[in-house]
Amino acid sequence: MDVFEAIAEPSRRELLDLLAERERPAGELVARLDRLTQPAVSRHLRILREVGLVEVRPDGQRRIYALRADRLIEIENWISRYRKYWPRHLDALEQHLSRTQEESPE
């Protein structure tokens, strides 16, 4: 699995969001994703670890997970090729919103 496949799963993106705030113990991650079982969270964390997006370190009996943001560069590099198209789409959206506001009765 590569980084793109790993972040395609919403629960893994949610884990990354939590870890972007600060490093967290596994138990806290399980509690924050309370809709998932502990084995499911562990599986997602393992996948994120395998693709290099998170790292883990022992802290007594706990396992502390941290984001490895440097691995997101692969995604950044891919996305950067498409940034040149965004201003055109944002300009079109702004024009559409302006027309909509002008046409709507007050």
Side-chain angles (χ1 to χ4, degrees), residues 61-87:
Q61 301 239 342
R62 302 182 317 166
R63 294 172 58 92
I64 307 297
Y65 286 85
L67 177 67
R68 285 196 52 212
D70 59 313
R71 287 291 290 142
L72 296 172
I73 291 172
E74 184 178 345
I75 296 166
E76 169 67 21
N77 290 339
W78 183 79
I79 288 173
S80 68
R81 288 182 251 168
Y82 300 95
R83 279 208 174 96
K84 63 184 175 187
Y85 300 107
W86 296 351

Side-chain angles (χ1 to χ4, degrees), residues 19-53:
L19 293 172
E21 295 170 2
R22 64 180 171 80
E23 60 181 34
R24 297 173 188 266
E28 183 180 331
L29 294 168
V30 170
R32 294 291 300 265
L33 275 76
D34 61 349
R35 70 186 183 287
L36 298 177
T37 64
Q38 184 276 326
V41 173
S42 292
R43 186 177 68 251
H44 289 308
L45 287 169
R46 179 184 49 79
I47 290 168
L48 292 171
R49 214 174 51 248
E50 287 174 355
V51 299
L53 288 171

Side-chain angles (χ1 to χ4, degrees), residues 1-8 47 51 53 71 74:
M1 181 176 299
D2 66 13
V3 172
F4 294 97
E5 290 175 285
I7 66 166
I47 290 168
V51 299
L53 288 171
R71 287 291 290 142
E74 184 178 345

